[in-house]
mmCIF file of all heavy atoms in Angstrom:
data_model
loop_
_atom_site.group_PDB
_atom_site.id
_atom_site.type_symbol
_atom_site.label_atom_id
_atom_site.label_comp_id
_atom_site.label_asym_id
_atom_site.label_seq_id
_atom_site.Cartn_x
_atom_site.Cartn_y
_atom_site.Cartn_z
ATOM 1 N N TYR A 1 19.186 -5.281 11.653
ATOM 2 C CA TYR A 1 20.520 -4.875 11.975
ATOM 3 C C TYR A 1 21.415 -5.138 10.748
ATOM 4 O O TYR A 1 21.365 -6.098 10.024
ATOM 5 C CB TYR A 1 21.014 -5.480 13.251
ATOM 6 C CG TYR A 1 20.810 -6.856 13.403
ATOM 7 C CD1 TYR A 1 21.564 -7.775 12.754
ATOM 8 C CD2 TYR A 1 19.832 -7.390 14.235
ATOM 9 C CE1 TYR A 1 21.464 -9.072 12.845
ATOM 10 C CE2 TYR A 1 19.571 -8.770 14.393
ATOM 11 C CZ TYR A 1 20.526 -9.693 13.662
ATOM 12 O OH TYR A 1 20.354 -10.968 13.815
ATOM 13 N N THR A 2 22.432 -4.322 10.750
ATOM 14 C CA THR A 2 23.399 -4.236 9.515
ATOM 15 C C THR A 2 24.749 -4.837 9.756
ATOM 16 O O THR A 2 25.512 -4.978 8.849
ATOM 17 C CB THR A 2 23.462 -2.930 9.031
ATOM 18 O OG1 THR A 2 23.934 -2.105 10.011
ATOM 19 C CG2 THR A 2 22.208 -2.447 8.578
ATOM 20 N N THR A 3 25.075 -5.144 11.029
ATOM 21 C CA THR A 3 26.406 -5.664 11.345
ATOM 22 C C THR A 3 26.354 -7.082 11.867
ATOM 23 O O THR A 3 25.999 -7.970 11.054
ATOM 24 C CB THR A 3 27.130 -4.759 12.307
ATOM 25 O OG1 THR A 3 26.275 -4.592 13.441
ATOM 26 C CG2 THR A 3 27.358 -3.402 11.737
ATOM 27 N N THR A 4 26.558 -7.350 13.066
ATOM 28 C CA THR A 4 26.544 -8.684 13.766
ATOM 29 C C THR A 4 25.417 -8.988 14.405
ATOM 30 O O THR A 4 24.630 -8.186 14.899
ATOM 31 C CB THR A 4 27.741 -8.804 14.563
ATOM 32 O OG1 THR A 4 27.666 -7.863 15.604
ATOM 33 C CG2 THR A 4 29.162 -8.594 13.890
ATOM 34 N N LEU A 5 24.989 -10.317 14.494
ATOM 35 C CA LEU A 5 23.942 -10.745 15.288
ATOM 36 C C LEU A 5 24.021 -10.297 16.626
ATOM 37 O O LEU A 5 24.956 -10.258 17.414
ATOM 38 C CB LEU A 5 23.927 -12.229 15.348
ATOM 39 C CG LEU A 5 22.797 -12.993 16.144
ATOM 40 C CD1 LEU A 5 21.454 -12.685 15.343
ATOM 41 C CD2 LEU A 5 23.037 -14.527 16.162
ATOM 42 N N GLY A 6 22.906 -9.692 17.220
ATOM 43 C CA GLY A 6 22.789 -9.223 18.478
ATOM 44 C C GLY A 6 23.056 -7.693 18.591
ATOM 45 O O GLY A 6 22.827 -7.052 19.639
ATOM 46 N N SER A 7 23.430 -6.986 17.413
ATOM 47 C CA SER A 7 23.573 -5.576 17.419
ATOM 48 C C SER A 7 22.261 -4.886 17.484
ATOM 49 O O SER A 7 21.228 -5.417 17.076
ATOM 50 C CB SER A 7 24.456 -5.162 16.243
ATOM 51 O OG SER A 7 23.853 -5.408 15.087
ATOM 52 N N SER A 8 22.269 -3.559 17.857
ATOM 53 C CA SER A 8 21.081 -2.731 18.011
ATOM 54 C C SER A 8 21.110 -1.610 17.018
ATOM 55 O O SER A 8 21.053 -0.424 17.354
ATOM 56 C CB SER A 8 20.974 -2.342 19.527
ATOM 57 O OG SER A 8 20.847 -3.430 20.316
ATOM 58 N N ASP A 9 21.372 -1.884 15.742
ATOM 59 C CA ASP A 9 21.416 -0.809 14.700
ATOM 60 C C ASP A 9 20.274 -0.872 13.807
ATOM 61 O O ASP A 9 20.261 -0.440 12.563
ATOM 62 C CB ASP A 9 22.741 -0.603 14.237
ATOM 63 C CG ASP A 9 23.065 -1.883 13.350
ATOM 64 O OD1 ASP A 9 22.359 -2.861 13.416
ATOM 65 O OD2 ASP A 9 24.159 -1.840 12.648
ATOM 66 N N GLY A 10 19.176 -1.573 14.118
ATOM 67 C CA GLY A 10 17.960 -1.781 13.244
ATOM 68 C C GLY A 10 17.224 -0.408 13.242
ATOM 69 O O GLY A 10 17.340 0.469 14.176
ATOM 70 N N ILE A 11 16.442 -0.216 12.178
ATOM 71 C CA ILE A 11 15.588 0.946 12.034
ATOM 72 C C ILE A 11 14.114 0.661 12.133
ATOM 73 O O ILE A 11 13.726 -0.380 11.608
ATOM 74 C CB ILE A 11 15.908 1.622 10.770
ATOM 75 C CG1 ILE A 11 17.338 2.126 10.778
ATOM 76 C CG2 ILE A 11 15.019 2.756 10.555
ATOM 77 C CD1 ILE A 11 17.799 2.807 9.329
ATOM 78 N N ALA A 12 13.345 1.419 12.957
ATOM 79 C CA ALA A 12 11.927 1.196 13.025
ATOM 80 C C ALA A 12 11.238 2.496 12.846
ATOM 81 O O ALA A 12 11.525 3.492 13.661
ATOM 82 C CB ALA A 12 11.511 0.515 14.302
ATOM 83 N N GLN A 13 10.393 2.685 11.802
ATOM 84 C CA GLN A 13 9.776 3.997 11.529
ATOM 85 C C GLN A 13 8.281 3.655 11.183
ATOM 86 O O GLN A 13 7.964 2.696 10.565
ATOM 87 C CB GLN A 13 10.392 4.723 10.516
ATOM 88 C CG GLN A 13 11.838 5.186 10.721
ATOM 89 C CD GLN A 13 12.605 5.842 9.555
ATOM 90 O OE1 GLN A 13 12.477 5.364 8.395
ATOM 91 N NE2 GLN A 13 13.155 7.008 9.768
ATOM 92 N N LEU A 14 7.397 4.613 11.676
ATOM 93 C CA LEU A 14 6.098 4.499 11.376
ATOM 94 C C LEU A 14 5.394 5.923 11.069
ATOM 95 O O LEU A 14 5.655 6.737 11.938
ATOM 96 C CB LEU A 14 5.353 3.791 12.464
ATOM 97 C CG LEU A 14 3.761 3.697 12.435
ATOM 98 C CD1 LEU A 14 3.453 2.545 11.209
ATOM 99 C CD2 LEU A 14 3.297 3.134 13.729
ATOM 100 N N TRP A 15 4.626 5.990 9.977
ATOM 101 C CA TRP A 15 3.868 7.207 9.652
ATOM 102 C C TRP A 15 2.306 6.689 9.724
ATOM 103 O O TRP A 15 2.013 5.662 9.106
ATOM 104 C CB TRP A 15 4.169 7.565 8.364
ATOM 105 C CG TRP A 15 5.658 8.154 8.153
ATOM 106 C CD1 TRP A 15 6.118 9.412 8.236
ATOM 107 C CD2 TRP A 15 6.852 7.313 7.934
ATOM 108 N NE1 TRP A 15 7.464 9.407 8.006
ATOM 109 C CE2 TRP A 15 7.868 8.164 7.746
ATOM 110 C CE3 TRP A 15 6.991 5.934 7.744
ATOM 111 C CZ2 TRP A 15 9.219 7.698 7.493
ATOM 112 C CZ3 TRP A 15 8.277 5.453 7.321
ATOM 113 C CH2 TRP A 15 9.306 6.319 7.362
ATOM 114 N N ILE A 16 1.532 7.642 10.190
ATOM 115 C CA ILE A 16 0.095 7.553 10.143
ATOM 116 C C ILE A 16 -0.452 8.880 9.483
ATOM 117 O O ILE A 16 -0.220 9.885 9.922
ATOM 118 C CB ILE A 16 -0.569 7.421 11.464
ATOM 119 C CG1 ILE A 16 0.041 6.302 12.268
ATOM 120 C CG2 ILE A 16 -2.048 7.128 11.369
ATOM 121 C CD1 ILE A 16 -0.085 4.806 11.725
ATOM 122 N N ASP A 17 -1.140 8.648 8.263
ATOM 123 C CA ASP A 17 -1.648 9.742 7.632
ATOM 124 C C ASP A 17 -0.569 10.845 7.304
ATOM 125 O O ASP A 17 -0.794 12.100 7.224
ATOM 126 C CB ASP A 17 -2.815 10.480 8.382
ATOM 127 C CG ASP A 17 -3.987 9.552 8.560
ATOM 128 O OD1 ASP A 17 -4.233 8.723 7.568
ATOM 129 O OD2 ASP A 17 -4.751 9.692 9.478
ATOM 130 N N GLY A 18 0.632 10.335 6.827
ATOM 131 C CA GLY A 18 1.813 11.081 6.542
ATOM 132 C C GLY A 18 2.545 11.729 7.610
ATOM 133 O O GLY A 18 3.464 12.441 7.413
ATOM 134 N N ILE A 19 2.086 11.497 8.886
ATOM 135 C CA ILE A 19 2.843 12.139 10.058
ATOM 136 C C ILE A 19 3.639 11.013 10.704
ATOM 137 O O ILE A 19 3.066 10.026 11.078
ATOM 138 C CB ILE A 19 1.814 12.705 11.186
ATOM 139 C CG1 ILE A 19 1.005 13.832 10.447
ATOM 140 C CG2 ILE A 19 2.530 13.233 12.300
ATOM 141 C CD1 ILE A 19 -0.217 14.244 11.344
ATOM 142 N N GLN A 20 4.857 11.295 10.918
ATOM 143 C CA GLN A 20 5.683 10.256 11.382
ATOM 144 C C GLN A 20 5.533 10.226 12.961
ATOM 145 O O GLN A 20 5.694 11.116 13.726
ATOM 146 C CB GLN A 20 7.203 10.589 11.188
ATOM 147 C CG GLN A 20 8.098 9.491 11.571
ATOM 148 C CD GLN A 20 9.617 9.618 11.048
ATOM 149 O OE1 GLN A 20 10.106 10.692 11.248
ATOM 150 N NE2 GLN A 20 10.235 8.622 10.631
ATOM 151 N N ARG A 21 5.208 8.930 13.439
ATOM 152 C CA ARG A 21 4.925 8.709 14.888
ATOM 153 C C ARG A 21 6.025 7.974 15.546
ATOM 154 O O ARG A 21 6.161 8.108 16.866
ATOM 155 C CB ARG A 21 3.591 7.903 14.978
ATOM 156 C CG ARG A 21 2.421 8.656 14.364
ATOM 157 C CD ARG A 21 2.054 10.021 15.083
ATOM 158 N NE ARG A 21 0.614 10.394 14.780
ATOM 159 C CZ ARG A 21 0.304 11.539 15.130
ATOM 160 N NH1 ARG A 21 0.938 12.182 15.944
ATOM 161 N NH2 ARG A 21 -0.999 12.022 14.775
ATOM 162 N N ILE A 22 6.783 7.179 14.908
ATOM 163 C CA ILE A 22 7.973 6.487 15.388
ATOM 164 C C ILE A 22 9.152 6.565 14.473
ATOM 165 O O ILE A 22 9.008 6.563 13.288
ATOM 166 C CB ILE A 22 7.615 4.946 15.560
ATOM 167 C CG1 ILE A 22 6.464 4.631 16.602
ATOM 168 C CG2 ILE A 22 8.837 4.140 15.918
ATOM 169 C CD1 ILE A 22 5.993 3.257 16.707
ATOM 170 N N ASN A 23 10.238 6.921 15.205
ATOM 171 C CA ASN A 23 11.570 7.132 14.442
ATOM 172 C C ASN A 23 12.655 6.641 15.314
ATOM 173 O O ASN A 23 13.225 7.319 16.137
ATOM 174 C CB ASN A 23 11.774 8.457 14.068
ATOM 175 C CG ASN A 23 12.977 8.723 13.108
ATOM 176 O OD1 ASN A 23 13.464 7.691 12.574
ATOM 177 N ND2 ASN A 23 13.479 9.837 13.045
ATOM 178 N N ALA A 24 13.144 5.287 15.248
ATOM 179 C CA ALA A 24 14.002 4.691 16.038
ATOM 180 C C ALA A 24 15.197 4.054 15.199
ATOM 181 O O ALA A 24 14.846 3.389 14.195
ATOM 182 C CB ALA A 24 13.456 3.695 16.956
ATOM 183 N N THR A 25 16.359 4.226 15.563
ATOM 184 C CA THR A 25 17.552 3.850 14.788
ATOM 185 C C THR A 25 18.448 2.958 15.580
ATOM 186 O O THR A 25 19.614 2.740 15.167
ATOM 187 C CB THR A 25 18.318 5.013 14.234
ATOM 188 O OG1 THR A 25 18.738 5.830 15.292
ATOM 189 C CG2 THR A 25 17.513 5.837 13.110
ATOM 190 N N ASN A 26 18.016 2.350 16.633
ATOM 191 C CA ASN A 26 18.765 1.691 17.590
ATOM 192 C C ASN A 26 17.967 0.299 18.070
ATOM 193 O O ASN A 26 18.092 0.044 19.293
ATOM 194 C CB ASN A 26 19.262 2.477 18.733
ATOM 195 C CG ASN A 26 18.023 2.982 19.715
ATOM 196 O OD1 ASN A 26 16.828 3.009 19.019
ATOM 197 N ND2 ASN A 26 18.291 3.416 20.842
ATOM 198 N N VAL A 27 17.382 -0.318 17.072
ATOM 199 C CA VAL A 27 16.484 -1.407 17.402
ATOM 200 C C VAL A 27 17.254 -2.820 17.296
ATOM 201 O O VAL A 27 17.951 -2.950 16.319
ATOM 202 C CB VAL A 27 15.289 -1.308 16.473
ATOM 203 C CG1 VAL A 27 14.262 -2.430 16.948
ATOM 204 C CG2 VAL A 27 14.616 0.058 16.469
ATOM 205 N N TYR A 28 16.944 -3.650 18.208
ATOM 206 C CA TYR A 28 17.425 -4.988 18.166
ATOM 207 C C TYR A 28 16.235 -5.961 17.739
ATOM 208 O O TYR A 28 15.291 -6.014 18.564
ATOM 209 C CB TYR A 28 18.040 -5.525 19.429
ATOM 210 C CG TYR A 28 18.294 -6.919 19.432
ATOM 211 C CD1 TYR A 28 19.064 -7.579 18.407
ATOM 212 C CD2 TYR A 28 17.870 -7.699 20.344
ATOM 213 C CE1 TYR A 28 19.490 -8.872 18.447
ATOM 214 C CE2 TYR A 28 18.172 -9.196 20.405
ATOM 215 C CZ TYR A 28 18.906 -9.648 19.452
ATOM 216 O OH TYR A 28 19.178 -11.033 19.489
ATOM 217 N N PHE A 29 16.169 -6.393 16.566
ATOM 218 C CA PHE A 29 14.960 -7.182 16.177
ATOM 219 C C PHE A 29 15.190 -8.674 16.506
ATOM 220 O O PHE A 29 14.208 -9.480 16.437
ATOM 221 C CB PHE A 29 14.720 -7.048 14.598
ATOM 222 C CG PHE A 29 14.238 -5.661 14.381
ATOM 223 C CD1 PHE A 29 14.915 -4.713 13.494
ATOM 224 C CD2 PHE A 29 12.893 -5.327 14.755
ATOM 225 C CE1 PHE A 29 14.308 -3.437 13.251
ATOM 226 C CE2 PHE A 29 12.246 -4.093 14.429
ATOM 227 C CZ PHE A 29 13.022 -3.130 13.694
ATOM 228 N N GLY A 30 16.338 -9.135 16.815
ATOM 229 C CA GLY A 30 16.543 -10.366 17.103
ATOM 230 C C GLY A 30 16.512 -11.518 15.944
ATOM 231 O O GLY A 30 16.413 -12.674 16.170
ATOM 232 N N THR A 31 16.568 -10.927 14.772
ATOM 233 C CA THR A 31 16.508 -11.796 13.604
ATOM 234 C C THR A 31 17.216 -10.976 12.392
ATOM 235 O O THR A 31 17.556 -9.819 12.643
ATOM 236 C CB THR A 31 15.175 -12.192 13.169
ATOM 237 O OG1 THR A 31 15.338 -13.147 12.122
ATOM 238 C CG2 THR A 31 14.322 -11.058 12.813
ATOM 239 N N THR A 32 17.408 -11.699 11.277
ATOM 240 C CA THR A 32 18.239 -11.050 10.236
ATOM 241 C C THR A 32 17.372 -10.684 8.956
ATOM 242 O O THR A 32 17.667 -9.736 8.253
ATOM 243 C CB THR A 32 19.385 -11.969 9.750
ATOM 244 O OG1 THR A 32 18.913 -13.201 9.365
ATOM 245 C CG2 THR A 32 20.451 -12.099 10.924
ATOM 246 N N THR A 33 16.366 -11.429 8.741
ATOM 247 C CA THR A 33 15.397 -11.195 7.515
ATOM 248 C C THR A 33 14.000 -11.179 7.873
ATOM 249 O O THR A 33 13.566 -11.730 8.857
ATOM 250 C CB THR A 33 15.771 -12.208 6.505
ATOM 251 O OG1 THR A 33 15.374 -13.577 6.953
ATOM 252 C CG2 THR A 33 17.250 -12.215 6.145
ATOM 253 N N ILE A 34 13.172 -10.598 6.918
ATOM 254 C CA ILE A 34 11.793 -10.702 7.024
ATOM 255 C C ILE A 34 11.266 -11.501 5.855
ATOM 256 O O ILE A 34 11.507 -11.498 4.729
ATOM 257 C CB ILE A 34 11.174 -9.271 6.819
ATOM 258 C CG1 ILE A 34 11.660 -8.382 7.984
ATOM 259 C CG2 ILE A 34 9.588 -9.152 6.775
ATOM 260 C CD1 ILE A 34 11.313 -6.797 7.574
ATOM 261 N N ASN A 35 10.449 -12.441 6.278
ATOM 262 C CA ASN A 35 10.102 -13.464 5.273
ATOM 263 C C ASN A 35 8.401 -13.455 4.921
ATOM 264 O O ASN A 35 8.093 -14.002 4.054
ATOM 265 C CB ASN A 35 10.363 -14.925 5.781
ATOM 266 C CG ASN A 35 11.891 -15.021 5.781
ATOM 267 O OD1 ASN A 35 12.520 -14.398 6.695
ATOM 268 N ND2 ASN A 35 12.466 -15.932 5.007
ATOM 269 N N THR A 36 7.550 -12.916 5.996
ATOM 270 C CA THR A 36 6.236 -12.955 5.788
ATOM 271 C C THR A 36 5.615 -11.750 6.367
ATOM 272 O O THR A 36 6.022 -11.161 7.386
ATOM 273 C CB THR A 36 5.605 -14.186 6.617
ATOM 274 O OG1 THR A 36 6.215 -15.443 6.192
ATOM 275 C CG2 THR A 36 4.164 -14.327 6.294
ATOM 276 N N PHE A 37 4.610 -11.250 5.662
ATOM 277 C CA PHE A 37 3.712 -10.078 6.177
ATOM 278 C C PHE A 37 2.434 -10.663 6.384
ATOM 279 O O PHE A 37 1.755 -11.146 5.408
ATOM 280 C CB PHE A 37 3.709 -8.882 5.041
ATOM 281 C CG PHE A 37 2.831 -7.814 5.358
ATOM 282 C CD1 PHE A 37 2.903 -7.170 6.568
ATOM 283 C CD2 PHE A 37 2.005 -7.221 4.519
ATOM 284 C CE1 PHE A 37 2.273 -6.104 6.917
ATOM 285 C CE2 PHE A 37 1.222 -6.109 4.759
ATOM 286 C CZ PHE A 37 1.300 -5.572 6.032
ATOM 287 N N GLU A 38 1.843 -10.401 7.465
ATOM 288 C CA GLU A 38 0.589 -10.854 7.906
ATOM 289 C C GLU A 38 -0.346 -9.703 8.185
ATOM 290 O O GLU A 38 -0.057 -8.759 8.922
ATOM 291 C CB GLU A 38 0.612 -11.799 9.214
ATOM 292 C CG GLU A 38 1.292 -13.034 9.063
ATOM 293 C CD GLU A 38 1.559 -13.753 10.399
ATOM 294 O OE1 GLU A 38 0.856 -13.362 11.314
ATOM 295 O OE2 GLU A 38 2.359 -14.713 10.422
ATOM 296 N N ILE A 39 -1.595 -9.712 7.496
ATOM 297 C CA ILE A 39 -2.513 -8.730 7.534
ATOM 298 C C ILE A 39 -3.712 -9.096 8.292
ATOM 299 O O ILE A 39 -4.464 -9.982 7.816
ATOM 300 C CB ILE A 39 -2.878 -8.313 6.001
ATOM 301 C CG1 ILE A 39 -1.650 -8.042 5.201
ATOM 302 C CG2 ILE A 39 -3.683 -7.007 5.990
ATOM 303 C CD1 ILE A 39 -1.590 -8.815 3.897
ATOM 304 N N GLY A 40 -4.078 -8.491 9.299
ATOM 305 C CA GLY A 40 -5.198 -8.658 10.241
ATOM 306 C C GLY A 40 -4.776 -9.745 11.213
ATOM 307 O O GLY A 40 -4.284 -10.849 10.946
ATOM 308 N N SER A 41 -4.970 -9.276 12.554
ATOM 309 C CA SER A 41 -4.435 -10.029 13.671
ATOM 310 C C SER A 41 -5.353 -9.943 14.827
ATOM 311 O O SER A 41 -6.447 -9.361 14.632
ATOM 312 C CB SER A 41 -3.002 -9.627 13.987
ATOM 313 O OG SER A 41 -2.447 -10.555 14.791
ATOM 314 N N ASN A 42 -4.808 -10.379 15.957
ATOM 315 C CA ASN A 42 -5.728 -10.322 17.133
ATOM 316 C C ASN A 42 -5.624 -9.017 17.898
ATOM 317 O O ASN A 42 -4.862 -8.242 17.721
ATOM 318 C CB ASN A 42 -5.347 -11.563 18.024
ATOM 319 C CG ASN A 42 -3.908 -11.626 18.539
ATOM 320 O OD1 ASN A 42 -3.154 -10.870 17.935
ATOM 321 N ND2 ASN A 42 -3.542 -12.370 19.351
ATOM 322 N N SER A 43 -6.489 -9.025 18.983
ATOM 323 C CA SER A 43 -6.521 -7.732 19.839
ATOM 324 C C SER A 43 -6.933 -8.072 21.310
ATOM 325 O O SER A 43 -7.335 -9.213 21.499
ATOM 326 C CB SER A 43 -7.483 -6.754 19.286
ATOM 327 O OG SER A 43 -8.787 -7.354 19.245
ATOM 328 N N GLN A 44 -6.794 -7.128 22.041
ATOM 329 C CA GLN A 44 -7.306 -7.225 23.524
ATOM 330 C C GLN A 44 -8.366 -6.274 23.866
ATOM 331 O O GLN A 44 -8.211 -4.977 23.645
ATOM 332 C CB GLN A 44 -6.135 -7.185 24.472
ATOM 333 C CG GLN A 44 -4.978 -8.143 24.357
ATOM 334 C CD GLN A 44 -3.939 -7.911 25.323
ATOM 335 O OE1 GLN A 44 -4.075 -7.087 26.289
ATOM 336 N NE2 GLN A 44 -2.852 -8.619 25.224
ATOM 337 N N PHE A 45 -9.486 -6.781 24.110
ATOM 338 C CA PHE A 45 -10.572 -6.076 24.822
ATOM 339 C C PHE A 45 -11.280 -4.898 23.949
ATOM 340 O O PHE A 45 -11.488 -3.804 24.455
ATOM 341 C CB PHE A 45 -10.047 -5.492 26.110
ATOM 342 C CG PHE A 45 -9.610 -6.488 27.135
ATOM 343 C CD1 PHE A 45 -8.244 -6.459 27.478
ATOM 344 C CD2 PHE A 45 -10.375 -7.495 27.553
ATOM 345 C CE1 PHE A 45 -7.738 -7.352 28.404
ATOM 346 C CE2 PHE A 45 -9.926 -8.396 28.464
ATOM 347 C CZ PHE A 45 -8.578 -8.352 28.847
ATOM 348 N N PRO A 46 -11.525 -5.205 22.759
ATOM 349 C CA PRO A 46 -12.633 -4.335 22.081
ATOM 350 C C PRO A 46 -13.913 -4.614 22.932
ATOM 351 O O PRO A 46 -14.126 -5.573 23.572
ATOM 352 C CB PRO A 46 -12.813 -4.930 20.652
ATOM 353 C CG PRO A 46 -11.550 -5.624 20.404
ATOM 354 C CD PRO A 46 -11.126 -6.225 21.732
ATOM 355 N N TYR A 47 -14.802 -3.579 22.857
ATOM 356 C CA TYR A 47 -16.025 -3.786 23.682
ATOM 357 C C TYR A 47 -17.220 -3.160 22.963
ATOM 358 O O TYR A 47 -17.666 -2.111 23.198
ATOM 359 C CB TYR A 47 -15.858 -3.227 25.099
ATOM 360 C CG TYR A 47 -15.446 -1.983 25.322
ATOM 361 C CD1 TYR A 47 -16.375 -0.814 25.629
ATOM 362 C CD2 TYR A 47 -14.009 -1.513 25.279
ATOM 363 C CE1 TYR A 47 -15.842 0.488 25.796
ATOM 364 C CE2 TYR A 47 -13.546 -0.219 25.501
ATOM 365 C CZ TYR A 47 -14.476 0.749 25.713
ATOM 366 O OH TYR A 47 -14.029 2.084 25.815
#
């Protein structure tokens, strides 16, 4: 978010294979900065 804490003007976009799947411009992330990128995480119920 670009203004004050608690505002909902964050942006979230996602493309898969060049096709945009998510495009949101009213997101509240609950924080001000990104400090870490984690690659590989957990899941529920592969079988």
